[in-house]
Amino acid sequence: GLYASHYGEVLPESSDDVGLWWASSGWKVARERGLPDTRGGALTIRAARNEAEAAQLVLRPERDLQDVRLEVRDLKGPGRAKIKADAIDVLRVAYVPVTTPTDPTGAKGLWPDPLPPLRESVDVQGGVNQPFWVRVTVPTGVPAGVYRGEVRVRAEDYKATVPIEVEVYDFDLPDKMTCQTAFGFSTGNVWKYHGLTDETDKRAVLERYLDNFAAHHISPYDPAPLDPVRIDWPDVPADLKPGQVLKPNIDWTAWDRAMTRALDERHFNSFRLAIPGMGGGTFHSRREPKLNGYGEDTAAYGALFR
């Protein structure tokens, strides 16, 4: 639960002025809980090759700390092997106020959930915990073993060095996503949020979103929103005969290209292919079936849908 306090380890450079401790990625660190009773030597992560795993580095200063920055250098492993610093991300654990618990395991209070990247210095409030998410993506091809390095913490009138150890197991996780997902993703909201009107800009931003989904093994409903299947509908003749079929010209070129990348490079494992003329809706509203402006009760709809 949020207020569990039996986990975590105090780190060597923890002091009365600035408590310094760490916990695994699975815990929700409450802002108010005190330092752990157990002492440890290093922030520790264990992962296979081609796996991303994280641990939480927690600062608990007695006074406000200004301009806090974290820097991680290359990790040195067996022989001359390294995990480069660009394979390590530092994110800030942010909190959201919960006023109504959704189930018996919940509680009112500030819950840690968002993980914004730590791209610039931040101020840390005194008297409470501020976790930082240290995530290592282990490359393929590196030797198994323990990789060691440091997380350097710097602030106004404060500095500390935190040892970090990453144990790499001697096997690779496959690129294939094993958990099948279907994530609702509205590009319209993305364009509105970023103020995008130019297609080149839309594509550049969309790439960032899709890369982020892939990194977190999330498959969106539609991984090719800017490259749909193109359909050229034929004209409906005035003398349409019963049972007549009107064949549209279907161009899969752009969709095939986008989906090849979605499946072969990003490894998405599900998608939703809309079928024109089926109608649809949600529990809010309903869309009646139409094809090229013809409703399902017309002969033209039947000829086009066949």
Side-chain angles (χ1 to χ4, degrees), residues 2 10 25 40 96-97 122 124 134 138 150 178 187 191 195 210 257 280:
L2 179 62
V10 176
S25 59
V96 293
V122 294
V124 174
V134 181
V138 181
E150 296 174 342
T178 53
T187 53
W191 312 152
L210 295 178
R257 184 171 56 247

Side-chain angles (χ1 to χ4, degrees), residues 36-237:
D37 295 327
T38 306
R39 302 192 72 85
L43 183 148
T44 303
I45 294 173
R46 298 179 176 88
R49 290 184 290 258
N50 202 31
E51 180 179 14
E53 184 55 277
Q56 299 179 81
L57 172 57
V58 188
L59 272 67
R60 186 185 173 88
E62 289 303 307
R63 56 179 174 82
D64 292 355
L65 283 182
Q66 310 296 323
D67 295 327
V68 176
R69 303 176 300 280
L70 276 70
E71 179 189 11
V72 186
R73 302 286 182 87
D74 293 351
L75 307 181
K76 297 180 180 179
R80 296 185 177 182
K82 290 182 180 181
I83 295 177
K84 296 290 187 66
D86 59 10
I88 306 169
D89 300 308
V90 179
L91 306 99
R92 177 174 59 88
V93 177
Y95 288 77
V96 293
V98 173
T99 56
T100 305
T102 53
D103 59 44
T105 64
K108 294 182 180 180
L110 290 173
W111 279 79
D113 189 70
L115 294 173
L118 188 67
R119 295 196 176 102
E120 55 190 22
S121 63
V122 294
D123 297 337
V124 174
Q125 181 182 341
V128 295
N129 292 305
Q130 175 57 65
F132 294 91
W133 194 266
V134 181
R135 181 176 61 206
V136 178
T137 302
V138 181
T140 57
V142 298
V146 177
Y147 291 72
R148 295 181 172 88
E150 296 174 342
V151 181
R152 297 185 178 185
V153 184
R154 299 287 185 271
E156 192 176 295
D157 301 322
Y158 174 76
K159 63 179 179 179
T161 300
V162 176
I164 177 173
E165 295 183 356
V166 177
E167 182 180 358
V168 176
Y169 298 134
D170 195 14
F171 62 92
D172 293 39
L173 290 188
D175 288 326
K176 178 182 177 181
M177 298 182 187
T178 53
C179 180
Q180 194 168 57
T181 61
F183 185 77
F185 175 51
S186 169
T187 53
N189 287 339
V190 172
W191 312 152
K192 183 178 179 181
Y193 177 78
H194 294 284
L196 304 176
T197 56
D198 180 75
E199 181 167 339
T200 301
D201 294 336
K202 289 180 179 180
R203 287 186 179 276
V205 171
L206 178 62
E207 289 290 299
R208 301 288 294 275
Y209 274 85
L210 295 178
D211 285 344
N212 190 272
F213 290 154
H216 292 87
H217 288 204
I218 295 171
S219 298
Y221 278 152
D222 183 3
L226 292 178
D227 295 295
V229 178
R230 307 288 180 182
I231 303 176
D232 182 19
W233 297 102
D235 293 331
V236 177

Side-chain angles (χ1 to χ4, degrees), residues 7-9 21-27 29 43-44 54-58:
Y7 63 90
E9 294 181 341
W21 59 284
W22 80 277
S24 69
S25 59
W27 293 103
V29 178
L43 183 148
T44 303
Q56 299 179 81
L57 172 57
V58 188

Side-chain angles (χ1 to χ4, degrees), residues 266-284:
R266 292 193 169 107
H267 308 288
F268 295 143
N269 59 14
S270 70
F271 63 90
R272 186 169 66 179
L273 180 62
I275 300 176
M278 292 293 289
T282 68
F283 56 88
H284 292 297

